Amino acid sequence: MPRRATAGEYRQRVSWLAHTGNTQDARGQRTPAYASAVPLRAKVRQVRGRELERAKQVHKDVSWRVELWATKEITTKDQIVYDGRTLEVVDVDDTDQQNHRLVFLCKEVSA
């Protein structure tokens, strides 16, 4: 049985930006639109070593791992802001299969 995360592990502050659809820019290009930020507590770290190699087999641009208490609202269309960085969610994993905590693999994008 996987160990449950404790509240003290989730020390970093992140903001969740929910995807609300697409808008058109001045050139007529469709660009994603996001709702205002919702603050959350998370465990955030850069993906390195073997974990990075495994992640790149599925998503080549993965560079961040964000873990937080389970919330089903966050999807791969959303973004997470951490320490001034905008992270695009590319994969969501319910690690313990009991909806206690979720792990998001993210890539950094320019804001």
Side-chain angles (χ1 to χ4, degrees), residues 28-96:
Q29 299 284 340
R30 295 179 71 189
T31 57
Y34 296 93
S36 54
V38 175
L40 299 168
R41 292 287 190 165
K43 180 178 178 181
V44 182
R45 64 182 173 84
Q46 285 189 301
V47 180
R48 298 181 183 182
R50 289 184 185 171
E51 185 180 25
L52 177 61
E53 293 306 315
R54 280 195 304 265
K56 286 194 175 201
Q57 290 177 4
V58 180
H59 302 285
K60 65 180 179 127
D61 297 330
V62 168
S63 56
W64 291 88
R65 181 181 192 271
V66 179
E67 182 180 320
L68 49 86
W69 294 112
T71 175
K72 290 295 184 187
E73 292 85 24
I74 301 177
T75 68
T76 56
K77 292 182 178 183
D78 299 335
Q79 292 182 340
I80 295 172
V81 177
Y82 167 68
D83 196 28
R85 295 178 169 98
T86 302
L87 309 175
E88 184 176 292
V89 177
V90 295
D91 188 49
V92 181
D93 184 22
D94 182 3
T95 58
D96 57 7

